PDB file of all heavy atoms in Angstrom:
ATOM      1  N   ALA A  86      88.306  75.580 -25.168  1.00  0.00           N
ATOM      2  CA  ALA A  86      89.137  75.351 -23.978  1.00  0.00           C
ATOM      3  C   ALA A  86      90.229  74.312 -24.269  1.00  0.00           C
ATOM      4  O   ALA A  86      91.375  74.460 -23.810  1.00  0.00           O
ATOM      5  CB  ALA A  86      88.269  74.884 -22.809  1.00  0.00           C
ATOM      6  N   LEU A  87      89.885  73.279 -25.030  1.00  0.00           N
ATOM      7  CA  LEU A  87      90.884  72.238 -25.348  1.00  0.00           C
ATOM      8  C   LEU A  87      91.979  72.799 -26.263  1.00  0.00           C
ATOM      9  O   LEU A  87      93.150  72.405 -26.114  1.00  0.00           O
ATOM     10  CB  LEU A  87      90.203  71.033 -25.978  1.00  0.00           C
ATOM     11  CG  LEU A  87      89.193  70.338 -25.065  1.00  0.00           C
ATOM     12  CD1 LEU A  87      88.494  69.198 -25.788  1.00  0.00           C
ATOM     13  CD2 LEU A  87      89.826  69.853 -23.788  1.00  0.00           C
ATOM     14  N   ASP A  88      91.623  73.693 -27.131  1.00  0.00           N
ATOM     15  CA  ASP A  88      92.647  74.361 -27.958  1.00  0.00           C
ATOM     16  C   ASP A  88      93.635  75.122 -27.069  1.00  0.00           C
ATOM     17  O   ASP A  88      94.834  75.124 -27.289  1.00  0.00           O
ATOM     18  CB  ASP A  88      92.011  75.334 -28.960  1.00  0.00           C
ATOM     19  CG  ASP A  88      91.274  74.638 -30.086  1.00  0.00           C
ATOM     20  OD1 ASP A  88      91.527  73.441 -30.330  1.00  0.00           O
ATOM     21  OD2 ASP A  88      90.461  75.313 -30.748  1.00  0.00           O
ATOM     22  N   GLU A  89      93.086  75.770 -26.025  1.00  0.00           N
ATOM     23  CA  GLU A  89      93.913  76.507 -25.085  1.00  0.00           C
ATOM     24  C   GLU A  89      94.826  75.565 -24.278  1.00  0.00           C
ATOM     25  O   GLU A  89      95.994  75.881 -24.024  1.00  0.00           O
ATOM     26  CB  GLU A  89      93.046  77.334 -24.162  1.00  0.00           C
ATOM     27  CG  GLU A  89      92.350  78.479 -24.884  1.00  0.00           C
ATOM     28  CD  GLU A  89      91.276  79.159 -24.075  1.00  0.00           C
ATOM     29  OE1 GLU A  89      91.073  78.834 -22.873  1.00  0.00           O
ATOM     30  OE2 GLU A  89      90.586  80.035 -24.656  1.00  0.00           O
ATOM     31  N   VAL A  90      94.309  74.397 -23.886  1.00  0.00           N
ATOM     32  CA  VAL A  90      95.104  73.400 -23.154  1.00  0.00           C
ATOM     33  C   VAL A  90      96.257  72.934 -24.037  1.00  0.00           C
ATOM     34  O   VAL A  90      97.402  72.829 -23.562  1.00  0.00           O
ATOM     35  CB  VAL A  90      94.231  72.209 -22.702  1.00  0.00           C
ATOM     36  CG1 VAL A  90      95.078  71.075 -22.157  1.00  0.00           C
ATOM     37  CG2 VAL A  90      93.210  72.666 -21.661  1.00  0.00           C
ATOM     38  N   ALA A  91      95.979  72.693 -25.309  1.00  0.00           N
ATOM     39  CA  ALA A  91      97.037  72.254 -26.230  1.00  0.00           C
ATOM     40  C   ALA A  91      98.087  73.345 -26.424  1.00  0.00           C
ATOM     41  O   ALA A  91      99.288  73.081 -26.424  1.00  0.00           O
ATOM     42  CB  ALA A  91      96.435  71.842 -27.567  1.00  0.00           C
ATOM     43  N   ALA A  92      97.615  74.578 -26.561  1.00  0.00           N
ATOM     44  CA  ALA A  92      98.571  75.691 -26.732  1.00  0.00           C
ATOM     45  C   ALA A  92      99.470  75.838 -25.511  1.00  0.00           C
ATOM     46  O   ALA A  92     100.674  76.065 -25.633  1.00  0.00           O
ATOM     47  CB  ALA A  92      97.808  77.002 -27.000  1.00  0.00           C
ATOM     48  N   LYS A  93      98.913  75.670 -24.336  1.00  0.00           N
ATOM     49  CA  LYS A  93      99.689  75.723 -23.099  1.00  0.00           C
ATOM     50  C   LYS A  93     100.721  74.594 -23.081  1.00  0.00           C
ATOM     51  O   LYS A  93     101.874  74.812 -22.696  1.00  0.00           O
ATOM     52  CB  LYS A  93      98.755  75.608 -21.893  1.00  0.00           C
ATOM     53  CG  LYS A  93      99.450  75.693 -20.558  1.00  0.00           C
ATOM     54  CD  LYS A  93      98.444  75.580 -19.430  1.00  0.00           C
ATOM     55  CE  LYS A  93      99.155  75.463 -18.093  1.00  0.00           C
ATOM     56  NZ  LYS A  93      98.204  75.215 -17.002  1.00  0.00           N
ATOM     57  N   ALA A  94     100.315  73.398 -23.492  1.00  0.00           N
ATOM     58  CA  ALA A  94     101.250  72.255 -23.525  1.00  0.00           C
ATOM     59  C   ALA A  94     102.407  72.519 -24.478  1.00  0.00           C
ATOM     60  O   ALA A  94     103.549  72.217 -24.177  1.00  0.00           O
ATOM     61  CB  ALA A  94     100.513  70.983 -23.911  1.00  0.00           C
ATOM     62  N   LEU A  95     102.091  73.097 -25.625  1.00  0.00           N
ATOM     63  CA  LEU A  95     103.135  73.370 -26.609  1.00  0.00           C
ATOM     64  C   LEU A  95     104.037  74.522 -26.186  1.00  0.00           C
ATOM     65  O   LEU A  95     105.179  74.614 -26.619  1.00  0.00           O
ATOM     66  CB  LEU A  95     102.489  73.658 -27.976  1.00  0.00           C
ATOM     67  CG  LEU A  95     101.872  72.439 -28.663  1.00  0.00           C
ATOM     68  CD1 LEU A  95     100.998  72.870 -29.841  1.00  0.00           C
ATOM     69  CD2 LEU A  95     102.925  71.448 -29.104  1.00  0.00           C
TER      70      LEU A  95
END
Side-chain angles (χ1 to χ4, degrees):
L87 298 176
D88 288 342
E89 292 168 5
V90 170
K93 181 180 173 186
L95 290 167

